[in-house]
Amino acid sequence: MSEYISDVIGGSKSLLVGLSITAREFFKPVVTEQYPWVVPEMTERFRGHIELIRDEKTGKPKCIVCGMCMRSCPSGCISLAGKKPEGEKKKALTKYHLDFTTCSLCGTCIESCNFGAIQFSNEYNLASTRKEDYIFDLLKRLEEQG
Amino acid sequence: MDTNIWRPILYLIGFMAFAGINAAYLGWCERKGAGRIQRRTGPMEVGFQGLLQPLADGLKLMSKQLLVPDGVDSILFRVAPILAMIPALTSMAVIPFAGNVQARAVELSVLLIFALASIGMMAVLLGGWASGNKYSLISAARSVSQNLAYEIPMLVTVITIVMLTGSMNLEEIAAAQQGGFWNWNIFPVASHSLAQAIIMPVSFIIFFICSVAETNRAPFDMAEAESELIAGHMTEYGSMGFGLFMMGEYLNMVVGACLITILFLGGWDGPLGLSGGIWWFLVKIYLLLFTVIWVRWTYPRTQIYKLLNLSWKILIPFSLVNLLLTAAFIKVF
Amino acid sequence: MQSAICQSAAGMSFFSAQGFVGLIFLVTIGLIIAGAFVATTSTRLVRCISGLAVCFTGVAGAYYFLLAPFVAMMQMLIYVGAVSILIAFAIMMATPEEGDTPGKKITRFSGPLGFAVSAMAFAALSLLAATTDWQVFAREGSGDMHHIGMVLLTSHSMVFELVSIVLLVAIMGALVIARRGRD
């Protein structure tokens, strides 16, 4: 009998605890993001596709066209080219294409770059129905970023 | 009788509108409430804050084909959803929303509502059987055993109230509780006695649990346990057949809330002796409905055996003791 | 309300309030007959039960017309809400027995015998109805709960006691059946 009564009281108590938890949750702020209307900021360490880094002094890419990233890429998805402009010592980048369809975002290219010229971007709005949309011209992208 | 015939008819039209709006927007409240409790937003896209979502859902249900699968009992299959809707709608005719806002004053309105509620049970039973589907049949059997179990403590608790008031007329029961919450049947310290006031909250909780169980709401929704029975008796229904079942469920919730308000919470009476009116009635029923939604999104579904044990081992003994004590207190004080 | 029915029968307009009441009365009687017909003729048990429930609903309506609202409500609550559903429940729980079962044989005498029995019952009932001196008794009490309670516990307490004995026997029987083999 005493077990029965303690069962009833204990049960009622646990039910009240449950109700109080949900009541508290009810008044907490909503965590849902209304995605297409409110575009969230990606966190700093998000691994999007790679992008070129601009040299702040010259305004040109830091890349010196050594080709280390192209050689280190296990999927061979980076292709780049460069030539020496008239009267300059260093090569300048003329083409930097990333084939994102085969990229696995491993980051080996970034590690192999001795000049800190590439990094992961924050880009995530990448949905498309055409394969060609995933061949990124990173040089053009850098220029467009202004 | 001659001119009064129009009164119920006009009220019926009003109730149908009230019922439709409630059924639609309680669904919206339910989704919003569930969202807030889980820290989501609920429907947001159709209209401001998703306010037009029920309209879109209704249009979608109405524009779908009323499919009658092979192998079902064709007549009973069509009758069941109608049976789910009618009792709830009819019960509203005798509910006094305020002093003289009532479609038809019936002397035995308490009994009438319970008599009609028992037809609702028939709807689940027939729907489950006529579908010719194992899951639906299990659902029907579960729901009947559950409803039979929970009807007993509910009726015993109602007898307690009827003994306190000496009437089975909902309007008289509500009228007897006017003048502040200390007269309400949930805590009738002024209108009856302190001893009575101590046991009545227990009656209120029993009645609330039973009405949640009778309307097949979570955590008592054994009849439509999605994870085990798909949707129980509603599995084979599409379009408005399903829609009528859903509307019936929400309307039953509304009727249950009205009944609790009248039996325990003083009907249209304002708390603390404020002047009463239909607005107090609406405030009370929507608070109760919110509680029902809140309960649904708090507790998980239990097993059918535990559910029946709760009724037979706890609610029925407690309600019987309450009945006996009430009878004794009425004699003594 | 009863006078209303008589008036409508005597040629009142069908669209007056009395006519409306008369229509409802006819619907009630129709429910009883249709429900009974379905309950007795259908081959599916669940349809039989539904017919029975419809019939009970009609009977409840008839009680209401007989100025006994409490009995009408109880008819709904007990017979439609509990008895029909319990029968349905029993059928669901029982294993379906297909094929021949002893004591269920249909012989060539079954039809004529059944017809004879029902003809006799019909004749007896119609004779009773035809020979009874139908008179409207003075209305006694209001037929509501209070009045029924007073009558049941004073002048008709014998009925009350008998009903309790019937219920007690029913409970004992249920216990015996339910506990069989369990000791």
Side-chain angles (χ1 to χ4, degrees):
Chain A
M1 191 65 198
S2 68
E3 197 186 327
Y4 171 78
I5 289 173
S6 67
D7 214 33
V8 171
I9 294 173
S12 321
K13 236 186 226 167
S14 74
L15 291 180
L16 285 180
V17 169
L19 279 180
S20 72
I21 288 172
T22 41
R24 253 178 284 137
E25 291 294 321
F26 186 86
F27 292 106
K28 281 183 187 167
V30 169
V31 293
T32 312
E33 282 167 338
Q34 299 296 318
Y35 165 61
W37 315 126
V38 183
V39 178
E41 190 73 15
M42 254 314 141
T43 50
E44 212 147 88
R45 298 179 66 184
F46 178 74
R47 287 180 158 210
H49 66 77
I50 54 169
E51 65 181 0
L52 293 167
I53 301 176
R54 189 190 304 277
D55 192 345
E56 292 301 329
K57 281 180 240 163
T58 58
K60 296 222 166 95
K62 275 185 175 177
C63 182
I64 58 149
V65 204
C66 65
M68 281 300 283
C69 48
M70 185 163 71
R71 257 169 282 150
S72 69
C73 180
S75 321
C77 49
I78 299 171
S79 56
L80 57 90
K83 68 171 186 185
K84 267 186 197 159
E86 294 292 315
E88 291 229 11
K89 264 187 201 167
K90 285 179 183 171
K91 272 186 180 176
L93 200 60
T94 52
K95 176 196 145 193
Y96 197 109
H97 279 189
L98 170 71
D99 184 0
F100 197 55
T101 54
T102 52
C103 174
S104 57
L105 296 163
C106 63
T108 316
C109 46
I110 294 168
E111 274 168 33
S112 68
C113 184
N114 289 326
F115 304 93
I118 45 181
Q119 66 179 14
F120 283 121
S121 69
N122 276 346
E123 196 61 51
Y124 62 95
N125 285 311
L126 292 171
S128 172
T129 50
R130 289 187 310 149
K131 212 172 172 183
E132 301 86 72
D133 288 350
Y134 293 103
I135 315 271
F136 299 132
D137 188 346
L138 293 183
L139 194 61
K140 202 171 143 201
R141 188 171 175 272
L142 189 74
E143 278 160 13
E144 272 166 11
Q145 276 177 349
Chain B
M1 188 77 208
D2 282 308
T3 50
N4 270 351
I5 191 103
W6 290 107
R7 191 177 142 102
I9 291 172
L10 285 177
Y11 263 100
L12 185 66
I13 296 167
F15 283 138
M16 281 169 112
F18 180 71
I21 291 169
N22 262 312
Y25 278 92
L26 277 177
W28 179 84
C29 290
E30 173 114 50
R31 293 167 71 176
K32 278 283 179 195
R36 286 305 308 226
I37 284 172
Q38 296 164 1
R39 300 186 65 185
R40 297 182 284 111
T41 49
M44 288 291 280
E45 292 301 311
V46 189
F48 174 70
Q49 289 285 314
L51 268 174
L52 295 178
Q53 187 70 47
L55 207 67
D57 290 350
L59 280 176
K60 176 213 161 207
L61 281 177
M62 274 185 254
S63 57
K64 283 174 86 174
Q65 184 194 1
L66 190 60
L67 196 71
V68 180
D70 278 346
V72 303
D73 190 319
S74 54
I75 297 175
L76 296 181
F77 186 80
R78 288 187 173 91
V79 166
I82 302 170
L83 270 186
M85 181 80 182
I86 284 180
L89 204 55
T90 320
S91 321
M92 288 207 163
V94 296
I95 287 171
F97 286 85
N100 47 11
V101 187
Q102 186 183 18
R104 186 90 172 91
V106 177
E107 196 55 39
L108 300 163
S109 35
V110 177
L111 210 51
L112 182 74
I113 286 181
F114 282 100
L116 288 169
S118 62
I119 299 179
M121 212 196 305
M122 206 76 188
V124 177
L125 183 68
L126 291 184
W129 178 279
S131 296
N133 171 327
K134 272 179 210 156
Y135 296 122
S136 304
L137 194 58
I138 295 173
S139 149
R142 278 184 177 187
S143 122
V144 168
S145 54
Q146 175 190 328
N147 274 307
L148 284 178
Y150 280 87
E151 205 157 72
I152 301 166
M154 199 170 189
L155 286 172
V156 171
T157 313
V158 169
I159 293 173
T160 317
I161 301 284
V162 169
M163 280 189 344
L164 281 180
T165 316
S167 168
M168 273 205 175
N169 189 337
L170 285 174
E171 196 170 4
E172 279 177 32
I173 290 175
Q177 303 173 47
Q178 300 300 303
F181 76 87
W182 45 87
N183 287 328
W184 296 359
N185 276 337
I186 186 176
F187 194 69
V189 66
S191 55
H192 292 91
S193 60
L194 185 62
Q196 191 66 52
I198 289 167
I199 62 167
M200 280 321 273
V202 181
S203 278
F204 172 73
I205 291 167
I206 292 173
F207 194 87
F208 182 77
I209 294 173
C210 291
S211 65
V212 172
E214 285 280 301
T215 46
N216 280 333
R217 291 279 304 179
F220 301 98
D221 58 346
M222 300 311 301
E224 42 172 303
E226 300 93 344
S227 50
E228 40 202 282
L229 295 181
I230 313 165
H233 57 286
M234 299 190 274
T235 307
E236 302 292 338
Y237 286 92
S239 74
M240 268 327 263
F242 171 78
L244 282 179
F245 269 122
M246 284 311 279
M247 278 173 87
E249 184 184 319
Y250 282 116
L251 280 189
N252 277 327
M253 272 166 71
V254 175
V255 171
C258 291
L259 210 54
I260 297 174
T261 306
I262 293 165
L263 293 180
F264 286 96
L265 301 179
W268 57 89
D269 183 39
L272 304 166
L274 295 171
S275 70
I278 191 167
W279 49 89
W280 280 117
F281 193 89
L282 293 177
V283 164
K284 284 172 193 171
I285 66 170
Y286 286 115
L287 277 178
L288 282 168
L289 288 170
F290 173 73
T291 315
V292 172
I293 290 172
W294 177 19
V295 163
R296 170 166 179 183
W297 296 103
T298 301
Y299 303 132
R301 189 182 303 124
T302 54
Q303 296 169 358
I304 181 84
Y305 310 104
K306 295 196 172 168
L307 208 69
L308 297 180
N309 277 349
L310 172 67
S311 174
W312 291 104
K313 288 191 177 164
I314 296 177
L315 296 183
I316 293 181
F318 269 75
S319 58
L320 284 175
V321 167
N322 265 357
L323 181 68
L324 280 178
L325 285 178
T326 306
F329 291 151
I330 288 174
K331 270 287 161 213
V332 172
F333 296 109
Chain C
M1 214 177 278
Q2 212 156 26
S3 62
I5 301 157
C6 299
Q7 277 168 4
S8 74
M12 285 289 294
S13 162
F14 215 61
F15 296 99
S16 65
Q18 283 91 344
F20 191 64
V21 172
L23 187 70
I24 293 175
F25 182 73
L26 287 181
V27 168
T28 307
I29 301 302
L31 278 183
I32 298 178
I33 293 170
F37 187 75
V38 171
T40 46
T41 55
S42 178
T43 49
R44 292 188 198 174
L45 278 173
V46 173
R47 282 200 183 172
C48 296
I49 297 160
S50 315
L52 197 64
V54 169
C55 179
F56 284 147
T57 313
V59 172
Y63 279 130
Y64 195 81
F65 273 99
L66 290 171
L67 300 178
F70 182 74
V71 185
M73 303 293 165
M74 279 326 226
Q75 175 82 14
M76 288 290 283
L77 193 64
I78 307 281
Y79 281 89
V80 182
V83 171
S84 303
I85 290 200
L86 272 182
I87 296 174
F89 204 41
I91 290 171
M92 280 184 182
M93 291 284 128
T95 48
E97 283 183 40
E98 304 288 340
D100 291 328
T101 44
K104 230 184 122 184
K105 265 185 202 150
I106 296 172
T107 66
R108 59 202 161 96
F109 297 113
S110 302
L113 266 178
F115 183 78
V117 169
S118 27
M120 265 160 28
F122 181 73
L125 283 176
S126 2
L127 194 70
L128 194 67
T131 54
T132 305
D133 179 20
W134 292 105
Q135 50 178 324
V136 179
F137 288 99
R139 192 177 162 188
E140 207 182 306
S142 56
D144 67 359
M145 183 184 61
H146 181 74
H147 180 239
I148 288 176
M150 292 303 279
V151 167
L152 262 187
L153 290 178
T154 54
S155 57
H156 291 66
S157 55
M158 186 66 187
V159 180
F160 189 67
E161 294 300 325
L162 282 178
V163 168
S164 0
I165 289 174
V166 170
L167 285 179
L168 184 68
V169 171
I171 291 172
M172 299 300 262
L175 277 178
V176 168
I177 293 170
R179 292 198 65 84
R180 177 173 294 158
R182 252 205 269 176
D183 186 33

